[in-house]
Amino acid sequence: GQNIDQPTEMTATEGAIVQINCTYQTSGFNGLFWYQQHAGEAPTFLSYNVLDGLEEKGRFSSFLSRSKGYSYLLLKELQMKDSASYLCAVKKFSGGYNKLIFGAGTRLAVHP
Amino acid sequence: DSGVTQTPKHLITATGQRVTLRCSPRSGDLSVYWYQQSLDQGLQFLIQYYNGEERAKGNILERFSAQQFPDLHSELNLSSLELGDSALYFCASSAKEENTIYFGEGSWLTVV
């Protein structure tokens, strides 16, 4: 099986920095995604990591440590519109193909 | 706009009925995925198709079935509907490399 753990909720202040952690346990690990989802809307792609290290994309960065089964999403210069759920998703290779398994998501509330 | 098109956007139906949800993947994408998201819940993987063939199965009920047609669009059939099937159903697609998976806007199903 596989476990993906993220905090259920986080709060932060506008303009600040927040780090959302994700730990996972799975066989056949083949990459990790971060998605943003506003309530009732489609998840939108933020980042993809398959190798260890930090990937930076504007205000958002994502880090992966395969040996530790750990990733984080770093959001800088928080804006009110960043209030959303952030989904960690593990790509698992099994039976000859990839499957994407999502964590339950972290609800981030950004306050003025 | 992710390029993934889902219809209908909203659907209200009675228990015991059958509905079909439709998905057109992004141009050139061969993989189609279906996910279910109940209120305040995470994304539950249902099923994946690649170029017309079933690739992976998740927590899909026997009352549910899906297929991918030669033109690569996909349909998710939900039968003998129950109140608990009320949810947002997402379709997603990816290119063969599966490095990025893009989601459609979802189909809201309400069973009354």
Side-chain angles (χ1 to χ4, degrees), chain A residues 15-63:
Chain A
I17 299 172
V18 71
Q19 177 174 314
I20 302 174
N21 296 324
C22 172
T23 58
Y24 61 88
Q25 289 179 301
T26 187
S27 57
F29 176 82
N30 202 20
L32 187 143
F33 291 85
W34 283 97
Y35 282 83
Q36 179 192 62
Q37 186 181 26
H38 288 96
E41 297 183 11
T44 55
F45 170 78
L46 291 178
S47 68
Y48 173 69
N49 295 69
V50 64
L51 301 175
D52 285 359
L54 186 68
E55 296 275 345
E56 296 187 75
K57 196 186 285 187
R59 293 190 299 114
F60 294 0
S61 304
S62 58
F63 171 83

Side-chain angles (χ1 to χ4, degrees), chain B residues 11-79:
Chain B
L11 189 57
I12 301 174
T13 191
T15 53
Q17 295 299 303
R18 182 180 189 276
V19 298
T20 297
L21 309 181
R22 194 178 191 279
C23 171
S24 294
R26 292 187 327 146
S27 176
D29 284 359
L30 298 177
S31 283
V32 169
Y33 312 77
W34 286 98
Y35 287 86
Q36 178 195 54
Q37 188 173 41
S38 302
L39 194 62
D40 289 336
Q41 299 292 311
L43 284 163
Q44 297 297 318
F45 171 69
L46 295 178
I47 198 164
Q48 179 196 354
Y49 282 84
Y50 177 78
N51 202 21
E53 293 189 4
E54 183 183 302
R55 259 284 178 92
K57 234 176 189 178
N59 302 321
I60 187 167
L61 300 171
E62 284 192 13
R63 300 183 286 109
F64 296 180
S65 65
Q67 58 184 126
Q68 187 180 27
F69 294 88
D71 67 352
L72 301 178
H73 91 270
S74 178
E75 292 181 356
L76 178 67
N77 300 298
L78 315 174
S79 61

Side-chain angles (χ1 to χ4, degrees), chain A residues 76-89:
Chain A
K76 302 175 190 173
E77 300 169 18
L78 281 171
Q79 302 175 9
M80 297 298 290
K81 67 178 182 180
D82 297 329
S83 294
S85 286
Y86 291 85
L87 311 176
C88 170

Side-chain angles (χ1 to χ4, degrees), chain A residues 27-28 92-99, chain B residues 48 54-56:
Chain A
S27 57
K92 172 188 170 75
F93 187 78
S94 174
Y97 48 78
N98 288 303
K99 192 160 64 172
Chain B
Q48 179 196 354
E54 183 183 302
R55 259 284 178 92

